[in-house]
Amino acid sequence: MKIDHVGIAVESIEAALSFYKRALGLEPCHREEIAAQKVRVAFLQAGEASIELLEPIGDEGAVAKFLKTRGPGLHHVAFSAADIAGHMDRLRREGLAPLETAPRPGARGHRVCFLHPKHAAGVLIELVGG
């Protein structure tokens, strides 16, 4: 598997972009609002992988709750998976059940699922596919 992106929870995408532009020369290549997830995202291409900045919309979504309890920082690591449903079935059989029962719509038109941090040394893992 390859890393697709690293998700970083931020209070404000615009404020965070200032650092990524100045320090690393990275510019956003895609922006999107995902109403169902109550989040705005901006992707910055960094080689083969990208950085996903996640800004909450309101106080109720998962990213808003993450920021309240942990503050800004690493939210998840996402891996490309051609057959998400197949990976989900295999993980269930191995006792590593994903947080979702089926892949759901994610950013950039991809289908996604998440794996609980307790299975990955405290890191939320996302599987991303077409």
Side-chain angles (χ1 to χ4, degrees):
M1 286 196 166
K2 289 185 179 180
I3 292 178
D4 182 80
H5 67 270
V6 174
I8 300 174
V10 299
E11 298 285 346
S12 162
I13 286 174
E14 294 309 315
L17 281 176
S18 174
F19 166 78
Y20 287 96
K21 287 179 184 179
R22 279 185 46 205
L24 305 173
L26 299 177
E27 296 283 343
C29 59
H30 178 81
R31 291 178 184 245
E32 184 176 349
E33 184 171 301
I34 307 168
Q37 309 275 322
K38 299 181 181 171
V39 70
R40 284 183 197 92
V41 300
F43 285 86
L44 302 98
Q45 199 62 40
E48 290 185 33
S50 50
I51 303 292
E52 179 188 29
L53 302 177
L54 303 124
E55 174 187 319
I57 300 170
D59 296 329
E60 297 303 315
V63 173
K65 292 175 184 173
F66 179 93
L67 285 169
K68 284 179 193 172
T69 59
R70 296 189 178 189
L74 177 67
H75 183 262
H76 66 271
V77 177
F79 293 87
S80 298
D83 178 13
I84 291 181
H87 281 290
M88 292 174 79
D89 289 342
R90 180 183 59 76
L91 290 165
R92 272 189 215 91
R93 286 192 307 272
E94 294 179 13
L96 304 169
L99 296 175
E100 293 88 7
T101 57
R104 61 180 164 90
R108 302 180 292 178
H110 292 135
R111 294 174 3 148
V112 303
C113 80
F114 287 88
L115 308 178
H116 199 284
K118 70 183 177 186
H119 299 303
V123 177
L124 181 65
I125 299 295
E126 179 182 15
L127 300 180
V128 178

